[in-house]
Amino acid sequence: MDIDARLLDLTREDLPRVQELDTLVWFEVVPGTEPEELVHHLDLRHARALERTGPALPGEPERDRPPLVGVYSAYDLRLTVPAPGDRLRTVPVDGLTWVGVHPDARRQGLLTRMMRDHLHRVHERGEAVAGLHASEPAIYGRFGYGSASLDVKLVLDRGQELRVPDELGTAADAVETHLVTLPTPEGTAALHEAHLACAATSLGAVTRPDAFAATWYRDVPKARGSKEPRRLLLARRDGALTGYAVLRRESRWEDERSRGEVTVDELGATDHASLLALVRRLVDLDLTTKVTLRARSVDDPVLWWCGGPRSVGVVAIDSLWLRLVDVPRALAERGYAAPADLVLEVVDELCPWNAGRWRLTVDGSGAATCEPAAGGSAPDVVLPVAALGAAYAGGRTIAAQVPTLGVRELRPGAVRQLSRAMRGDTEPVGAIGF
């Protein structure tokens, strides 16, 4: 069945239709959630949908407004990337979310239509970078997104030995920690303060918008059931917050012996001592046997404090996917690890303003300019826009994408030069969910 649909902006009146479509797409129901409560999670400034046209179909009730067959929204996020002078900086990222297509409307180009609409609107707002988490990894590469970071899961035992240098252990002893409950107003305020401070020091970290900070971990008691409320473990030094962990414990017993588990959805710290102090507390919680840390990186200190990958059961999946919506601006907004002077020929079918040749010039401090290449300039590297997105956070190298995304080197040594210039000092951390 071919679907005829029109694009429209969403308002509060559309929230029941959004909830209906969301349930059809994801077949998950959160007990106790009313449609009007979606406003706490859906940014209506960026929410768009495809509304089916035509009469009701057999078996459908008559209604004032037809059903939605596609939806998307976005958040105003920020991403921590390399900056000139071996520093870090945050840049705006348009975080695509709530993407869904009705089961009857798949394979009819509706997702492509929404993606084109989204990216063109991002460009019209003057934003340079877009990002997302992919529900299925095969979907978004064809829209110019590149997988830019990994979400590394570490599983620690209770009482796990953490082998650290003596001076680091001593510094961690000076960090105080305490536990509070989310989502109280005081707890969410402390979480957001710590979240922003820690993200500024972590390559690849994504920060949620201020407008949604108070509702990001909104609690629905009916949906939570017998689970405990989320807890927030905070680290502080000299009165200042230096780290945090968002966690929930699950009570389990076997033959009258505790087998509780701790799941940590977010873990951040401004320094290694605060990170160590938090992990020490997490592996020492009573009535638990296992601690799962999500959204870590492949060179996370915790992994090596525990002895390496075999000690923590490493599992890695794709985390943040990035897409350059304005190539010259995006490349000029981040810093670089080495000088470079290259002409890049970018291939981009969905955002034609990106397609063409750009001269990227990086000085000795790591600051860059990116301008249209002079007429007749021969390209040094030809690459799809997804390759630049994959490398943007400082993790995946351009060189590694020669066999995976079809990067082509036309001047010997150009790919190596671009790879080394875009590389970060550490692997980017896994991004928060959005």
Side-chain angles (χ1 to χ4, degrees):
M1 179 182 71
D2 290 334
I3 299 291
D4 186 22
R6 67 185 185 95
L7 268 168
L8 70 159
D9 294 323
L10 293 176
T11 69
R12 282 178 175 261
E13 294 179 355
D14 296 304
L15 293 179
R17 296 197 295 170
V18 172
Q19 186 180 59
E20 180 183 21
L21 177 60
D22 187 64
T23 302
L24 272 170
V25 171
W26 299 104
F27 42 93
E28 292 180 348
V29 177
V30 180
T33 300
E34 298 298 326
E36 56 270 18
E37 294 179 44
L38 296 183
V39 75
H40 297 299
H41 306 285
L42 185 68
D43 193 334
L44 290 173
R45 296 173 306 154
H46 304 316
R48 299 267 281 170
L50 284 163
E51 179 185 78
R52 198 184 73 204
T53 60
L57 300 175
E60 290 184 343
E62 293 290 341
R63 60 179 83 190
D64 294 335
R65 305 182 71 186
L68 303 179
V69 292
V71 66
Y72 79 82
S73 188
Y75 293 117
D76 297 325
L77 308 174
R78 296 192 72 85
L79 167 69
T80 303
V81 298
D86 299 322
R87 301 188 308 276
L88 298 175
R89 67 164 49 141
T90 64
V91 298
V93 170
D94 191 274
L96 183 65
T97 187
W98 283 81
V99 181
V101 175
H102 192 291
D104 290 340
R106 297 172 64 246
R107 308 283 194 273
Q108 297 184 46
L110 269 64
L111 178 59
T112 299
R113 187 176 168 189
M114 290 194 298
M115 293 300 299
R116 180 178 288 109
D117 180 72
H118 167 65
L119 292 171
H120 281 239
R121 287 166 66 87
V122 171
H123 185 247
E124 290 167 4
R125 291 198 296 269
E127 299 172 16
V129 183
L132 57 82
H133 286 283
S135 56
E136 297 183 61
I139 294 177
Y140 291 98
R142 69 179 189 266
F143 300 118
Y145 287 82
S147 179
S149 65
L150 297 178
D151 183 324
V152 177
K153 182 174 72 174
L154 309 179
V155 180
L156 285 61
D157 295 326
R158 187 189 177 193
Q160 180 102 33
E161 182 180 3
L162 304 172
R163 299 178 180 176
V164 301
D166 291 342
E167 60 273 20
L168 179 58
T170 301
D173 290 339
V175 177
E176 298 178 282
T177 61
H178 67 282
L179 198 65
V180 300
T181 298
L182 292 175
T184 64
E186 297 82 4
T188 53
L191 167 60
H192 197 52
E193 179 184 346
H195 170 63
L196 295 179
C198 296
T201 66
S202 301
L203 183 66
V206 169
T207 57
R208 51 186 148 261
D210 294 342
F212 287 85
T215 57
W216 202 266
Y217 282 111
R218 194 166 181 269
D219 192 42
V220 182
K222 189 173 182 179
R224 173 163 50 84
S226 61
K227 296 178 181 177
E228 74 164 338
R230 282 192 177 88
R231 310 296 184 184
L232 174 65
L233 181 62
L234 291 167
R236 66 190 190 281
R237 184 191 297 108
D238 299 327
L241 293 176
T242 58
Y244 75 102
V246 177
L247 65 110
R248 175 176 275 158
R249 296 165 298 177
E250 184 175 354
S251 178
R252 290 183 181 177
W253 292 83
E254 182 179 307
D255 297 330
E256 302 304 316
R257 299 177 66 185
S258 61
R259 292 289 185 268
E261 298 184 4
V262 184
T263 299
V264 181
D265 292 319
E266 289 186 38
L267 174 63
T270 60
D271 55 81
H272 293 149
S274 296
L275 178 62
L276 177 58
L278 289 167
V279 176
R280 281 175 169 174
R281 281 291 310 275
L282 291 168
V283 299
D284 192 38
L285 292 172
D286 291 338
L287 305 179
T288 65
T289 60
K290 184 171 74 173
V291 180
T292 299
L293 308 181
R294 294 175 174 167
R296 310 309 296 163
S297 72
V298 295
D299 56 6
D300 193 317
V302 178
L303 189 159
W304 296 104
W305 292 340
C306 295
R310 284 180 289 173
S311 301
V312 290
V314 170
V315 175
I317 62 172
D318 51 294
S319 181
L320 184 66
W321 291 65
L322 291 176
R323 209 253 195 238
L324 305 196
V325 182
D326 185 331
V327 164
R329 180 178 166 189
L331 292 181
E333 282 186 343
R334 57 156 286 169
Y336 297 80
D341 190 358
L342 298 155
V343 175
L344 310 178
E345 183 169 319
V346 177
V347 179
D348 191 344
E349 296 180 359
L350 211 56
C351 298
W353 54 84
N354 282 334
R357 297 178 183 177
W358 304 94
R359 184 172 183 179
L360 175 67
T361 305
V362 182
D363 64 21
S365 73
T369 60
C370 189
E371 304 288 345
S377 298
D380 299 313
V381 180
V382 179
L383 70 177
V385 70
L388 290 171
Y392 194 74
R396 290 179 67 191
T397 66
I398 296 294
Q401 296 176 69
V402 171
T404 58
L405 291 181
V407 174
R408 291 190 292 126
E409 180 179 73
L410 302 185
R411 176 173 62 81
V415 164
R416 174 179 290 184
Q417 186 181 49
L418 182 58
S419 283
R420 293 183 174 183
M422 295 191 74
R423 193 71 170 90
D425 290 334
T426 62
E427 287 294 321
V429 299
I432 63 167
F434 60 85

